[in-house]
Amino acid sequence: MRIELVKRKEQSRAMLLLSPLIAVGLTLITAALLFIVTGKDPALGLYKFFIEPLTDTWSLQEIVVKATPLILIACGLSVCFLSNNWNIGAEGQFVFGAICGCFLPILFPEFANGATLPLMLLFGALGGAAWAFIPAILKTRFNTNEILTSLMLVYVAGLLLDYLVRGPWRDPGGFNFPESRIFSDAATLPAIGDGRMSLSAPIALIVVVVLAIVLARTMKGFEIRVMGESPRAGSFAGFSAKKLTLFAFAFAGAMAGLAGTMEVSGSLNQLLPSISPGYGFTAIIVAFLGRLNPVGILVAGFILALSYIGGEAVQASMGVSDKIASVIQGLLLFYVLACDTLILYQVRLSRARPAAIAGEAEHV
Amino acid sequence: MAGEEDRTHAQKRPETGTLLDARGLTKRFGDILANDRVDLAINTGEIHALLGENGAGKSTLVKMFYGSLEPDGGAISWQGRTVAITSPAEARALGIGMVFQHFSLFEALTVAENIALAFPKPGNMRKLAARIREVSEDYGLPLDPDAVVADLPVGIRQRIEIVRCLLQEPRLIIMDEPTSVLTPQEADRLFLTLQRLASEGCAVLYISHRLEEVQRICHHATILRHGKVVRECDPTRETAASLARMMVGTEVMGVSITDHEPAIGRTRLALRNLTSPATNPFATELRGINLDVRAGEVVAIAGVAGNGQGELFDAVSGEVRVGPDMVCLDDGPCGNRDITWRRRRNAAFVPEERLGHGAVPGMKLSQNVILTRHGTGDGLSSAGFLSSKMAVGIEQRIKKTYDVRMSHDDPEARSLSGGNLQKFVVGRELDRKPGILVVNQPTWGVDAGAAALIRQALIDLARSGSAVLVISQDLDEIFEIADRIAVISRGHLSGAEDARTMTRERIGLLMAGDAEKAGAA
């Protein structure tokens, strides 16, 4: 017996929906195995990880707080990935955006009025876009690999933030702790309810809706999808690959920068040496789990946010390392990408030999 | 040259005993029965033609002979012994060689290195080079073993494949459309080689859709239709028309040129000293191309593949920009304008590669309508928003007018067969009634019925006052539809000459390099 992959004539509509669900199912099974291997009760582990956080208002709010930046960043990344631009550096764009968005309340604390917050969000988005423009320009001008350049810039941005909060931007009245001054009310994103939720959640929702319409209904969305699937056909349609690369990176960077600024302004209220538990990287998983579709991303954002809260929960109550959250996120991405094969291929068991010998298959 | 004397040779099928005998070969792909109980017997020393339309199952059949596909049913016997050919290596060990339509050569390596790769133990390279020289000259296909493949024209590349096959001393050579890349003169030389091989007892299985050459060199023909053997015959006793009828199953409609004296109008497409450097080491540089295409006429550019046709198409369409005056549409210089600008000036383009260039494989046909028509005032895009209703409307119209067959409504482009997709990408542009149409390989890989439909549509468009430029490697097609013919060779274009006075021989000479002189003159 051998397992054969048989190419389908068209994408399977059923698998388009089913493949993320299969991936989630496989992730759950693997997670259960992990709990068994570490000597924990798998049923309790899965319950604590995936179910319990959903039964409590505090953790539900916390899920929204964590899902918001994930969804925003993943929306931006989906435009990149759909158009074949492999932006892996959203984490850096998040951080650099936050730096640009927050210089106003830190360096000019007296400038506190109705314009402060809109300006912060604008600078945050521009900063993220500028950071993302670097790998985009390198790609279009010098044909460099954007995966490497965007990833390396993550560390540059992280170190820049570290330097700022330990040096020039350190709070003068902060007893030498590496943190900036606390923002004034004018620089704080208004809260929603009594928890940590802020205006950032509805803003992310608006981005999801607008992007869903743009991708499905407009010329720009069409251009993005054509370029991703077939650049040659895109150039035949009159689209410019270079311009689209610049656009996709700028948009993804702006979304990440916006998310970074809102995270600092809405949740942290000051700049710290570390402002992200890896949102920029986790958002890559969100984007793929959500099928690069804004509505899918909305759902996927909550699933991945749950993995953060669940990780903390099992650490607190069962003594499992909170690295379990990263492991489960990694497994999920692995399974999502693997299950995507099913969309264009059919798995078949056969006793026959390969349909064509490798190498010979190409030219027959 | 193989002329009349070869035809008078009694092309009798040699009664030398059966070399390969296939009985009841069946191969199924999903719902499609690609080969349905096919019987085929090849005698030692015969040139056996395998005829059939695209999709008739010829490739599937020979892949089973060459061990790259396994039959679902039936048996193959080789020299009287039943064999299971499970890999190309096994096929080669039995003495079955194959020359592919699309070459499998590494462009950056030399001829000898490429050939060495085909042998499990190539041994001493100097000795191999000497053998290559000896065998290739012996068979009238001289090769320089030290030449780098990238520098060689397509005809020579095919020689490498053939010589590689010959070095393995095969008993049967399978050739898939070998003359599609050759000039008429090169084809004549190939025929001599094949006749020599046959006289030495080597059998040739010859796949072609060019009926004339099948009649000229083949001893026997097997005709496939829809995966079944419909007839076996002696091709010399048939006419091209009767062979075509057997392949298609019905009478093939000829193209009717109602008005052979077209009403020629003003120049609508002009190329003026069009020059464009090669964008990569394997591309062709365009050197000073001049051409006028006038309202009412079809101008065809003949040429062997890889002589700059793709580069010329890209420059005319605007995918590659050139100097402003090098391309003019209706007197407007546009060499530096993009393809959408040119489309708005009533020009339309159909590239050679339909999947991945002319159409996005994973998108529905209606979305693929938007691909080339978003900027041409069809109402597909307003204020940045797309109208999928309009797109579906146009898609339905193209489907009806150009008889595009599909299994369900509005499928993804990749699910269509080559011929149907070609009808769609040509129909998508014709539907606009463009004033200037540029088509690269309009009927490549298309069955006879669809090809006739497309050719007729091109002529009708020209007669209605449009300028039509056709780039094609198919001389039969060119003579069928063109009013004037030019030849492209290594990036040079000869002057366009009246199709009625042009001969195949003259085209052959121009293909082989005279275009450079003629273009310069």
Side-chain angles (χ1 to χ4, degrees):
Chain A
M1 281 298 249
R2 341 173 314 111
I3 301 169
E4 261 180 18
L5 286 177
V6 183
K7 192 157 190 196
R8 299 176 196 267
K9 283 185 94 176
E10 293 186 68
Q11 294 189 358
S12 155
R13 305 269 157 227
M15 276 302 162
L16 226 43
L17 290 170
L18 276 178
S19 108
L21 298 182
I22 299 173
V24 169
L26 289 170
T27 307
L28 289 180
I29 294 170
T30 316
L33 288 173
L34 274 175
F35 282 119
I36 294 172
V37 168
T38 51
K40 310 287 177 191
D41 176 2
L44 184 68
L46 288 182
Y47 174 78
K48 292 264 183 208
F49 197 103
F50 292 103
I51 311 287
E52 203 181 53
L54 301 174
T55 61
D56 166 298
T57 25
W58 177 85
S59 50
L60 276 176
Q61 289 199 17
E62 226 16 57
I63 288 174
V64 174
V65 169
K66 294 235 168 359
T68 301
L70 288 177
I71 291 167
L72 257 184
I73 302 169
C75 279
L77 288 181
S78 68
V79 170
C80 277
F81 296 160
L82 279 172
S83 61
N84 245 331
N85 288 298
W86 301 103
N87 177 6
I88 308 298
E91 182 81 1
Q93 292 141 27
F94 180 93
V95 168
F96 194 76
I99 293 172
C100 294
C102 297
F103 81 90
L104 209 55
I106 293 172
L107 297 181
F108 306 99
E110 311 77 31
F111 182 80
N113 53 44
T116 311
L117 205 54
L119 278 177
M120 283 171 66
L121 297 182
L122 178 68
F123 289 144
L126 289 177
W131 204 245
F133 235 62
I134 300 173
I137 288 171
L138 289 175
K139 179 181 178 176
T140 51
R141 280 284 154 79
F142 304 109
N143 219 2
T144 51
N145 184 322
E146 75 272 26
I147 299 177
L148 287 177
T149 50
S150 64
L151 181 62
M152 290 193 288
L153 284 167
V154 169
Y155 305 106
V156 178
L159 290 170
L160 177 65
L161 173 66
D162 200 67
Y163 161 74
L164 287 173
V165 292
R166 285 175 204 280
W169 288 10
R170 190 174 52 196
D171 183 2
F175 309 103
N176 263 342
F177 278 105
E179 51 190 37
S180 77
R181 68 171 80 237
I182 307 245
F183 295 176
S184 65
D185 283 353
T188 302
L189 214 54
I192 293 177
D194 52 358
R196 298 208 305 135
M197 286 202 303
S198 71
L199 209 55
S200 60
I203 290 177
L205 194 63
I206 292 169
V207 168
V208 167
V209 172
V210 170
L211 184 63
I213 293 170
V214 167
L215 284 180
R217 293 282 144 96
T218 67
M219 201 58 213
K220 194 73 193 170
F222 182 73
E223 177 183 345
I224 290 165
R225 284 179 291 131
V226 168
M227 274 309 200
E229 224 196 298
S230 184
R232 192 80 215 275
S235 109
F236 186 60
F239 305 141
S240 155
K242 288 189 175 180
K243 277 187 201 153
L244 187 62
T245 295
L246 295 173
F247 170 83
F249 267 90
F251 177 71
M255 289 304 108
L258 188 64
T261 306
M262 294 199 298
E263 176 75 7
V264 175
S265 161
S267 302
L268 304 174
N269 239 262
Q270 64 184 150
L271 270 184
L272 300 169
S274 167
I275 55 169
S276 159
Y279 286 138
F281 293 117
T282 309
I284 298 171
I285 309 174
V286 173
F288 279 105
L289 185 64
R291 294 251 74 88
L292 304 182
N293 172 321
V295 178
I297 285 170
L298 188 66
V299 177
F302 281 98
I303 296 176
L304 267 297
L306 176 64
S307 76
Y308 278 116
I309 311 290
E312 287 168 17
V314 291
Q315 183 187 29
S317 63
M318 297 174 71
V320 183
S321 159
D322 68 342
K323 292 280 181 291
I324 188 88
S326 308
V327 172
I328 287 176
Q329 290 175 1
L331 282 171
L332 192 55
L333 179 62
F334 173 79
Y335 284 126
V336 167
L337 295 180
C339 290
D340 274 4
T341 311
L342 297 172
I343 295 170
L344 209 50
Y345 293 85
Q346 209 168 343
V347 177
R348 199 172 62 181
L349 291 174
S350 109
R351 37 166 201 81
R353 66 192 181 79
I357 304 302
E360 304 282 347
E362 295 310 312
H363 46 251
V364 286
Chain B
M1 265 206 203
E4 280 307 306
E5 58 190 317
D6 284 306
R7 282 201 84 148
T8 55
H9 269 302
Q11 240 164 280
K12 252 187 84 191
R13 190 177 191 191
E15 301 293 336
T16 41
T18 310
L19 178 69
L20 180 142
D21 193 13
R23 288 280 155 236
L25 278 190
T26 298
K27 181 74 194 175
R28 180 182 284 281
F29 294 112
D31 309 333
I32 299 155
L33 207 50
N35 278 173
D36 185 3
R37 285 161 291 157
V38 171
D39 296 335
L40 181 81
I42 302 170
N43 289 351
T44 306
E46 78 173 347
I47 304 179
H48 190 123
L50 186 57
L51 293 173
E53 287 198 278
N54 286 291
K58 297 171 302 204
S59 299
T60 306
L61 184 62
V62 299
K63 277 183 216 170
M64 290 193 282
F65 293 157
Y66 194 57
S68 53
L69 280 179
E70 189 186 34
D72 294 330
I76 300 171
S77 72
W78 176 255
Q79 297 178 316
R81 196 163 53 85
T82 302
V83 288
I85 306 168
T86 58
S87 73
E90 246 172 88
R92 286 194 290 262
L94 287 173
I96 300 174
M98 181 145 178
V99 176
F100 291 98
Q101 189 179 6
H102 302 286
F103 306 143
S104 51
L105 299 171
F106 292 95
E107 297 204 332
L109 299 184
T110 66
V111 172
E113 284 163 343
N114 265 291
I115 290 178
L117 284 169
F119 292 93
K121 292 190 195 104
N124 185 317
M125 283 301 284
R126 265 218 315 275
K127 275 187 200 154
L128 180 66
R131 281 245 317 127
I132 292 168
R133 215 179 284 273
E134 179 194 343
V135 170
S136 63
E137 270 162 26
D138 190 24
Y139 280 91
L141 306 167
L143 276 179
D144 173 8
D146 300 321
V148 174
V149 171
D151 302 334
L152 300 175
V154 196
I156 306 288
R157 293 188 195 193
Q158 184 187 54
R159 272 188 206 175
I160 304 172
E161 293 256 341
I162 296 172
V163 168
R164 178 156 81 183
C165 226
L166 291 176
L167 284 170
Q168 291 160 348
E169 288 164 10
R171 308 293 318 277
L172 169 65
I173 296 185
I174 302 169
M175 302 196 107
D176 194 355
E177 305 260 353
T179 53
S180 59
V181 294
L182 301 181
T183 64
Q185 286 85 351
E186 284 174 320
D188 285 335
R189 199 172 314 150
L190 174 70
F191 295 154
L192 286 178
T193 305
L194 293 184
Q195 278 158 346
R196 151 112 190 259
L197 278 168
S199 71
E200 290 172 0
C202 179
V204 178
L205 184 59
Y206 191 87
I207 303 176
S208 180
H209 62 259
R210 297 191 178 175
L211 302 171
E212 201 184 285
E213 55 187 52
V214 164
Q215 288 187 301
R216 192 164 129 196
I217 62 162
C218 293
H219 304 106
H220 196 75
T222 299
I223 294 145
L224 285 181
R225 191 161 76 225
H226 302 314
K228 288 185 187 162
V229 173
V230 289
R231 249 322 257 288
E232 280 193 60
C233 64
D234 177 349
T236 52
R237 294 199 181 165
E238 302 289 337
T239 62
S242 69
L243 286 172
R245 204 160 43 234
M246 290 179 222
M247 276 165 58
V248 182
T250 54
E251 203 71 44
V252 176
M253 190 179 43
V255 168
S256 70
I257 299 181
T258 43
D259 180 7
H260 222 302
E261 223 30 76
I264 301 295
R266 68 206 155 93
T267 296
R268 302 204 66 174
L269 169 68
L271 308 181
R272 296 272 174 272
N273 194 24
L274 170 57
T275 303
S276 171
T279 47
N280 69 61
F282 305 128
T284 307
E285 181 187 348
L286 298 178
R287 304 162 206 242
I289 286 178
N290 287 297
L291 184 70
D292 280 342
V293 188
R294 296 164 299 175
E297 69 173 350
V298 178
V299 174
I301 294 181
V304 175
N307 273 289
Q309 289 95 332
E311 289 81 358
L312 177 61
F313 179 86
D314 286 349
V316 176
S317 74
E319 284 176 83
V320 171
R321 312 287 167 82
V322 291
D325 296 320
M326 292 182 183
V327 181
C328 297
L329 295 177
D330 285 336
D331 294 330
C334 71
N336 56 345
R337 302 290 187 164
D338 67 23
I339 188 166
T340 305
W341 193 93
R342 297 183 200 196
R343 285 195 179 113
R344 287 188 179 133
R345 296 295 156 105
N346 216 0
F349 311 95
V350 181
E352 176 179 8
E353 197 159 332
R354 31 188 180 247
L355 212 53
H357 191 179
V360 182
M363 283 191 169
K364 293 175 172 182
L365 291 186
S366 61
Q367 301 273 294
N368 272 303
V369 167
I370 300 173
L371 194 72
T372 64
R373 295 180 57 168
H374 58 82
T376 52
D378 294 297
L380 288 168
S381 162
S382 64
F385 280 83
L386 299 174
S387 163
S388 41
K389 221 174 98 195
M390 290 279 207
V392 170
I394 295 176
E395 184 253 341
Q396 292 287 330
R397 194 164 70 214
I398 296 169
K399 173 185 162 182
K400 235 178 98 201
T401 317
Y402 299 96
D403 185 32
V404 183
R405 291 171 208 171
M406 44 190 87
S407 53
H408 59 93
D409 240 14
D410 205 6
E412 285 172 17
R414 65 172 144 231
S415 74
L416 258 59
S417 72
N420 272 312
L421 187 58
Q422 186 69 17
K423 284 191 267 183
F424 172 77
V425 295
V426 175
R428 178 177 63 189
E429 307 310 323
L430 289 173
D431 181 67
R432 272 177 58 203
K433 309 249 177 307
I436 299 142
L437 178 68
V438 182
V439 199
N440 195 359
Q441 309 300 347
T443 61
W444 182 79
V446 171
D447 63 51
L453 184 109
I454 290 172
R455 289 171 191 164
Q456 186 67 57
L458 294 177
I459 293 171
D460 292 346
L461 179 73
R463 296 302 178 259
S464 72
S466 301
V468 177
L469 177 62
V470 175
I471 303 171
S472 177
Q473 290 161 40
D474 184 340
L475 284 186
D476 297 331
E477 166 168 279
I478 285 177
F479 277 110
E480 204 173 332
I481 62 175
D483 299 306
R484 289 189 300 143
I485 300 171
V487 177
I488 191 165
S489 168
R490 275 178 267 175
H492 292 273
L493 190 73
S494 71
E497 297 176 29
D498 193 319
R500 283 166 299 185
T501 55
M502 196 69 152
T503 61
R504 275 167 201 268
E505 282 64 37
R506 172 137 177 79
I507 290 179
L509 290 173
L510 289 167
M511 280 177 173
D514 282 7
E516 290 157 44
K517 286 170 237 155

